[in-house]
Amino acid sequence: MKISATDVVGSVQRLMATAQNGLEVIRFGGLTHGVESSPFEVVERRRMYRLRHYFPDDTTPGRPVALLVPPLMVSADIWDVNVDDGAVGILSRGGIDCWVVDFGSPASEEGGWERDLADHVLAISSAIDTVTAATGNGVHLMGYSQGGMFAYQTTAYRYGKGVDSIVTFGAPVDIVAGMPFGLPYGMVSDVATFLADHVVTRLPITDSMVRIGFQLLDPVKTAKSRIDFLRQLHDREALLPRERQRRFLNSDGWVGYAGPAAADLLKQFVAHNRLMLGGFVIRDQPISLAELKCPILAFIGEVDDIGQPAAVRGVVRAAPNAEVYEAILVAGHFGLVAGSTATKHTWPLVRQWVDWMSGGTPLPPEIVPMAEHVPNNRPRSAATRIVHTAATLAEAGAGVGKALEGIAGNTVRGSIELAGEAARALPRLTRLGMIQPHTRISLGLLIAEQARRAPLKDLFLFDDRVHTNAAVNVRIDNVVRGLVSVGVRPAMRVGVVMETRPSGLAAVAALSRLGAVAVLLAPDSELDPAIELTGVDTLIADPETLRQAAATGARVLVLGGGEARELPIAVSDRVIDLEQIDPAGVELPAWFRPDPGLARELAFVLVTGAGNRLEAKYITNHRWALSAFGTATTADLDQHDTVYCLAPLHHSSGLLVSLGGAIAGGSRIALARSLDPAHFTEEVHRYGVTVVTYTWTMLRDILDARVFPAGHRHPIRLFIGSGMPAGLWRRTVEQFDPAGVLEFYASIEGDVVLANVTGVKRGCKGRPVPGTAKVELVAYDPMTERILLDRSGFARRCADNEVGLLLGRASGGVDISAGGLRGVFAAGDAWMPTENLFRRDSDGDFWLIDRTDTVIRTRRGPVFGQPIVDVLNDISAVDMEVVYGLDVGDHCLAVAAVSVREGFRLDPKDLTEALHALEPDQRPDLIYTVREIPRSTSYRPSARAVQAAGRPQPGPDTWWYNRASEVYEVLTEDQAHTLLGD
């Protein structure tokens, strides 16, 4: 082998160049490249940010304006890392006025390590105000990675003011859809919550940690880039064009991450996925991306492992009111905004987007409307990465590993998620099983536990404001001091006549903490007979209900109403304003113990019925806890949920299911002032509502208002409540697909709680909730109102589909002297009868048939109302219906009154066809239409009100059942005389 002098000289020169360049890198951190940053001036300096204006000497009027937002952890120079071929260079040459928000480094900024997420959102909002004031134009708000998330959040926070469009680059929205390594969301959420609570707030995330963390995300690519750099270290001219970018990635481009901001990110957007669902909080104000109405362009990197395509595409569902477009590039996370792909594709497309927004040019073909569902069947891992990098065997191996990771992740995801549900349910069921008559358990105690465990966690959302566990707990303690100062003591019954609002909940919780009994009375109801029935002499009212409460003559304590309020009645010895009492000036007596309530003690009294049929329902702490933990377990409520309370507190569904389930599950509680469909639509998105509570026909108003048309995107996963008729159930799941309905039945007398968990059988009450009372159906004669016995003298159990009386086994310590039964199935056993008749189908599911006191006793035997209601309600034309018994001489007729939905027509053939589902003797004798069916304050259709309006009259809208032909026919004058005796 011959070695020439030229080869030797070349090798020596290469070695010397390598050594010289290597020494320069060691001494200065890189090669001296002489590349200057694009010119800019700092227009505004504030504690949170500096506002850069690039190319300030260009004063061309009327230019579109772009405001660029960097992510945390990355320097604002990311927008200028390639200088002439970078974002600001290309956009400025394209006639766009570029401004950049520079948050600086928390290590060098005053109070930098104390910054939270809201600080950054408010800083961007302030920068938008400055830019729009300086230019006179709205801005195209552009953000990379978390900067894109900031762009979404800020625009929603401002309700779009001053923002013409949003452009994001690799900005994830639906974190659940982009879990790393295919991990199940539940596990990642728990880890994120732990990190937010115990790690990032104590350990500052420095720039070195950030740099190493990002490099570890793709170690193969990091190692390859360094090897390539060393291999070319002799060729200075080849390295210089990319030197600024290399130094940016290796050292200069990373900044620290403030712990509070990291904790906010982990909790709100990873643990709770609130950017997707809505309800993320900026300075106590809940916000949703549903507020976005401006056009959105999202850049998606096919090989982006941080802003994964599925996570980025979540914006099309999270922002249903905006036009959302996408541009897909074969790029990684960093390559979307820097490097050759960004130079050749990203920034020219952004320039064309801005031109299109200005009305100058059509959209390029690379920008298309974003699809909600994109098949994930492309060979993204190995093939795309090989084409993308044209790289090494190691990278190809990494791609195959990615594909195998997806297979493994899908295999274990289901089992881990099921294990997570079981892990959440088990502690609740265990605690429920440990409750004994002497156990301390109450509403006030659970709220106090949450305040100790997570003081800064959100608890209530009301009027676009968020109230934390700690704040609510302090408010409750202050109300307690006010109540003590006016003479309220443990076990004392105090009426609560308040709308569903934070002050109303605080009043109920304060009475619980004091050990008193809250008697919940419906506003606008008949208070005088309710007060006489329950023995109440003191009422708590809000300013809106004060006049009604004072008219009863009882002593009234006024609570709530906000800071600027006026009482309609002057304060006196009978009207006491609790808000004027200074809690600090109240000395608690020696007898006071917070949350003293025992499981066996009375906690609440509900008043049901109307007129002379009022009934008091007594609820112990054990009964309340039973429903609370049972609801949380059955509905799988947890800290990720926001429960929207439409059900009023004075209804058992509101007290036991809505409030109880949310508190026991650790969920946020969103309170509605009233059932307003327009507000419902806004607040569902703004609060990120995942669960909605209801009573009876409450959802009918929302469906009829068509504020949520079928197919409209929403975050709701479940409706929970009681009393929903079958047809309304069907309409609800059709309009709010894929949300389900969880129908409960909870007896007041015993510890019976049923739940239709699957939601498959509409109108069914389901099966007993684990941890609640064992139930049995006993044979019952509705005509004589007696339990039927077998030959041995014990009660006879019902066969499948036989109508019977529902019993619940009495728990230990329960006084059964008031209506309880012993010796039902065995000597000495104890059962509490409910007031309802059920049937149990062959699958073991229970169906409500009627109340014992509303069964219609006709000549042909008992006729049950609920099956008729369910069948009629399932007719598309029927809006609401009631069934009642009409006394005619010496016998009774089964009558149904229906109202018809607007735009529909009800024909007798519809009735005949629908009611064929019932046995002939269970079909109503008469059916007639009415203009409107009045409802109670809990939205239950009132048969009593319909009866009071008068008897059915012959005519084309009244039909009688011809039992000979088995069809419904128009009631004529002659037939009316025969049936009604008129």
Side-chain angles (χ1 to χ4, degrees):
M1 178 178 179
K2 295 179 63 177
I3 301 177
S4 66
T6 303
D7 293 336
V8 173
V9 171
S11 297
V12 171
Q13 289 178 338
R14 181 170 178 170
L15 181 62
M16 292 182 64
T18 299
Q20 183 179 356
N21 292 337
L23 181 61
E24 185 177 345
V25 170
I26 293 172
R27 292 183 61 191
F28 304 110
L31 301 176
T32 305
H33 49 77
V35 178
E36 298 287 336
S37 300
S38 300
F40 68 86
E41 67 175 353
V42 176
V43 176
E44 184 176 50
R45 294 177 184 269
R46 297 204 175 182
R47 186 182 67 85
M48 270 299 302
Y49 69 96
R50 286 179 289 277
L51 181 61
R52 301 180 183 180
H53 184 201
Y54 279 84
F55 301 99
D57 294 336
D58 187 347
T59 57
T60 304
R63 289 185 299 166
V65 179
L67 178 61
L68 297 101
V69 182
L72 302 186
M73 302 189 289
V74 177
S75 165
D77 292 334
I78 184 70
W79 304 114
D80 194 36
V81 68
N82 297 107
V83 194
D84 288 343
D85 292 332
V88 295
I90 295 175
L91 295 181
S92 294
R93 290 196 301 275
I96 298 174
D97 189 9
C98 293
W99 302 65
V100 171
V101 176
D102 179 10
F103 296 118
S105 170
S108 58
E109 301 293 334
E110 179 184 356
W113 294 116
E114 305 302 321
R115 294 174 174 177
D116 61 15
L117 213 61
D119 288 328
H120 295 86
V121 172
L122 296 177
I124 298 169
S125 181
S126 175
I128 293 173
D129 289 334
T130 300
V131 173
T132 54
T135 63
N137 295 323
V139 304
H140 297 277
L141 190 58
M142 304 182 186
Y144 166 50
S145 191
Q146 192 179 355
M149 297 167 69
F150 283 148
Y152 292 138
Q153 296 160 34
T154 306
T155 307
Y157 177 77
R158 296 170 58 88
Y159 299 102
K161 179 183 177 183
V163 179
D164 291 340
S165 78
I166 300 172
V167 182
T168 64
F169 312 90
V173 172
D174 186 3
I175 303 300
V176 174
M179 285 290 101
F181 311 114
L183 294 174
Y185 171 62
M187 186 174 72
V188 173
S189 171
D190 292 341
V191 172
T193 300
F194 176 81
L195 292 174
D197 288 339
H198 304 291
V199 179
V200 297
T201 54
R202 295 179 172 88
L203 180 67
I205 305 174
T206 64
D207 54 353
S208 300
M209 296 168 64
V210 170
R211 183 184 74 251
I212 294 172
F214 268 89
Q215 291 172 350
L216 289 176
L217 286 175
D218 197 344
V220 173
K221 188 171 183 180
T222 300
K224 179 180 178 298
S225 66
R226 292 187 176 183
I227 292 172
D228 288 345
F229 178 75
L230 292 175
R231 291 176 59 189
Q232 299 184 65
L233 193 56
H234 66 283
D235 191 349
R236 185 184 186 89
E237 297 305 317
L239 292 176
L240 284 179
R242 293 183 295 173
E243 178 61 11
R244 180 177 168 87
Q245 178 175 320
R246 187 195 69 81
R247 292 182 65 166
F248 186 92
L249 288 175
N250 279 1
S251 58
D252 299 345
W254 308 105
V255 295
Y257 204 139
D264 277 352
L265 173 75
L266 290 170
K267 277 194 171 182
Q268 294 209 60
F269 303 128
V270 178
H272 301 311
N273 203 25
R274 298 221 197 280
L275 199 61
M276 177 66 194
L277 299 177
F280 58 88
V281 179
I282 303 297
R283 290 291 182 268
D284 296 334
Q285 181 177 341
I287 302 295
S288 163
L289 296 195
E291 311 291 352
L292 300 179
K293 296 180 174 61
C294 64
I296 297 171
L297 171 60
F299 280 83
I300 300 172
E302 285 196 10
V303 289
D304 186 347
D305 286 327
I306 297 176
Q308 294 192 25
V312 174
R313 286 194 175 99
V315 68
V316 76
R317 301 188 302 276
N321 299 314
E323 296 181 26
V324 185
Y325 298 82
E326 66 177 30
I328 304 174
L329 302 177
V330 182
H333 196 61
F334 187 76
L336 284 173
V337 294
S340 59
T341 299
T343 299
K344 295 176 182 178
H345 300 285
T346 302
W347 303 119
L349 286 175
V350 171
R351 184 180 61 210
Q352 293 176 72
W353 166 266
V354 174
D355 289 343
W356 175 72
M357 286 292 300
S358 302
T361 60
L363 268 179
E366 295 88 346
I367 297 178
V368 297
M370 182 178 286
E372 182 172 349
H373 301 290
V374 176
N376 191 22
N377 53 9
R378 286 183 293 180
R380 181 189 155 213
S381 301
T384 308
R385 289 179 183 277
I386 293 172
V387 173
H388 170 56
T389 61
T392 61
L393 179 62
E395 281 184 295
V400 174
K402 186 71 177 177
L404 294 176
E405 158 227 303
I407 297 172
N410 291 335
T411 303
V412 303
R413 180 189 304 273
S415 60
I416 294 181
E417 288 289 7
L418 287 174
E421 289 185 17
R424 287 191 293 273
L426 188 58
R428 298 168 187 164
L429 294 177
T430 302
R431 183 170 186 179
L432 192 57
M434 293 174 62
I435 296 177
Q436 300 298 320
H438 57 276
T439 303
R440 282 182 60 215
I441 187 73
S442 65
L443 168 62
L445 181 66
L446 292 188
I447 293 177
E449 289 177 355
Q450 287 201 28
R452 287 193 297 270
R453 186 166 52 245
L456 299 182
K457 181 181 174 295
D458 305 337
L459 180 56
F460 292 147
L461 297 94
F462 181 71
D463 274 359
D464 295 340
R465 284 292 177 267
V466 176
H467 306 268
T468 64
N469 283 324
V472 171
N473 203 51
V474 169
R475 170 66 168 167
I476 292 170
D477 286 340
N478 289 340
V479 175
V480 166
R481 289 178 176 269
L483 294 174
V484 169
S485 71
V486 297
V488 178
R489 295 179 65 89
M492 178 176 172
R493 294 187 183 184
V494 179
V496 179
V497 191
M498 303 180 74
E499 302 290 347
T500 301
R501 59 196 303 172
S503 294
L505 293 179
V508 174
L511 291 171
S512 174
R513 180 153 299 172
L514 188 55
V517 178
V519 180
L520 300 173
L521 305 173
D524 300 323
S525 64
E526 301 175 10
L527 293 184
D528 288 318
I531 289 174
E532 181 179 355
L533 176 66
T534 57
V536 167
D537 61 9
T538 299
L539 300 176
I540 302 178
D542 49 31
E544 290 80 2
T545 60
L546 171 57
R547 193 180 298 278
Q548 179 193 8
T552 64
R555 184 177 65 148
V556 181
L557 312 177
V558 189
L559 186 68
E563 297 178 359
R565 63 174 190 155
E566 292 184 4
L567 301 184
I569 297 177
V571 174
S572 65
D573 60 333
R574 302 295 295 171
V575 177
I576 302 172
D577 189 355
L578 292 180
E579 300 290 355
Q580 300 302 316
I581 299 174
D582 181 11
V586 178
E587 182 177 351
L588 293 175
W591 53 257
F592 176 75
R593 296 290 185 275
D595 305 311
L598 302 181
R600 66 172 180 266
E601 294 176 344
L602 184 63
F604 307 101
V605 178
L606 300 179
V607 178
T608 62
N612 59 359
R613 298 185 62 183
L614 285 181
E615 293 183 70
K617 305 295 185 181
Y618 300 97
I619 301 174
T620 63
N621 283 309
H622 178 263
R623 180 66 185 81
W624 180 84
L626 190 73
S627 285
F629 286 104
T631 300
T633 302
T634 307
D636 195 25
L637 297 178
D638 60 19
Q639 60 182 350
H640 308 308
D641 285 306
T642 299
V643 179
Y644 193 76
C645 289
L646 285 174
L649 280 182
H650 56 78
H651 187 274
S652 59
S653 181
L655 177 68
L656 303 177
V657 175
S658 306
L659 177 62
I663 293 293
S667 307
R668 301 197 304 181
I669 305 171
L671 301 176
R673 278 191 176 274
S674 61
L675 181 59
D676 184 302
H679 287 166
F680 174 82
T681 308
E682 295 173 0
E683 291 177 343
V684 159
H685 286 296
R686 189 174 302 146
Y687 297 161
V689 171
T690 57
V691 177
V692 177
T693 66
Y694 65 85
T695 58
W696 298 100
T697 63
M698 183 176 283
L699 294 179
R700 166 253 194 190
D701 299 63
I702 293 171
L703 296 177
D704 287 349
R706 299 186 181 278
V707 291
F708 265 105
H712 185 87
R713 304 179 188 100
H714 59 82
I716 301 170
R717 69 173 180 86
L718 194 63
F719 293 87
I720 60 176
S722 62
M724 184 186 293
L728 186 60
W729 189 325
R730 171 181 50 79
R731 291 177 58 197
T732 299
V733 295
E734 288 175 352
Q735 193 156 328
F736 286 93
D737 182 67
V741 172
L742 178 57
E743 174 80 4
F744 279 92
Y745 166 83
S747 71
I748 299 297
E749 295 78 7
D751 294 338
V752 176
V753 181
L754 306 178
N756 185 342
V757 179
T758 64
V760 175
K761 300 177 181 179
R762 297 195 306 269
C764 177
K765 301 304 179 184
R767 303 178 186 181
V769 172
T772 62
K774 178 184 177 181
V775 300
E776 286 285 359
L777 273 184
V778 295
Y780 181 82
D781 184 355
M783 304 298 285
T784 62
E785 299 184 10
R786 296 179 63 87
I787 294 175
L788 302 181
L789 307 179
D790 59 19
R791 293 180 178 179
S792 62
F794 291 119
R796 180 173 66 81
R797 288 182 171 89
C798 286
D800 288 348
N801 292 309
E802 180 184 0
V803 176
L805 180 66
L806 186 69
L807 307 182
R809 185 185 290 277
S811 57
V814 173
D815 179 14
I816 66 168
S817 61
L821 302 173
R822 280 201 184 277
V824 180
F825 303 110
D829 64 358
W831 297 80
M832 292 295 295
T834 68
E835 58 189 11
N836 296 111
L837 302 178
F838 279 78
R839 71 174 176 88
R840 182 187 58 248
D841 64 21
S842 57
D843 296 326
D845 293 309
F846 289 82
W847 297 76
L848 178 65
I849 298 300
D850 212 330
R851 282 171 49 113
T852 55
D853 60 346
T854 57
V855 174
I856 304 170
R857 297 168 176 84
T858 69
R859 286 175 174 172
R860 60 184 181 276
V863 175
F864 305 114
Q866 190 61 43
I868 298 174
V869 166
D870 284 338
V871 168
L872 291 176
N873 193 259
D874 213 19
I875 299 174
S876 297
V878 172
D879 182 18
M880 290 189 294
E881 63 293 312
V882 293
V883 177
Y884 62 90
L886 178 63
D887 290 324
V888 178
D890 61 351
H891 66 283
C892 185
L893 298 178
V895 177
V898 300
S899 59
V900 179
R901 292 172 61 191
E902 184 177 354
F904 286 80
R905 175 182 174 82
L906 182 63
D907 293 321
K909 64 179 182 180
D910 299 327
L911 301 173
T912 300
E913 181 180 348
L915 287 163
H916 270 164
L918 302 179
E919 293 295 327
D921 63 350
Q922 290 298 311
R923 299 167 191 168
D925 300 295
L926 284 174
I927 302 176
Y928 68 104
T929 64
V930 294
R931 180 184 295 273
E932 184 178 358
I933 294 180
R935 293 180 290 176
S936 68
T937 54
S938 58
Y939 293 87
R940 182 176 188 173
S942 173
R944 180 183 296 272
V946 173
Q947 281 183 277
R951 301 171 67 176
Q953 299 298 316
D957 293 327
T958 304
W959 304 278
W960 69 286
Y961 183 58
N962 187 330
R963 299 194 176 275
S965 61
E966 295 190 342
V967 297
Y968 280 90
E969 301 175 358
V970 172
L971 182 68
T972 63
E973 293 284 352
D974 292 342
Q975 191 61 44
H977 180 74
T978 302
L979 284 177
L980 304 175
D982 293 342

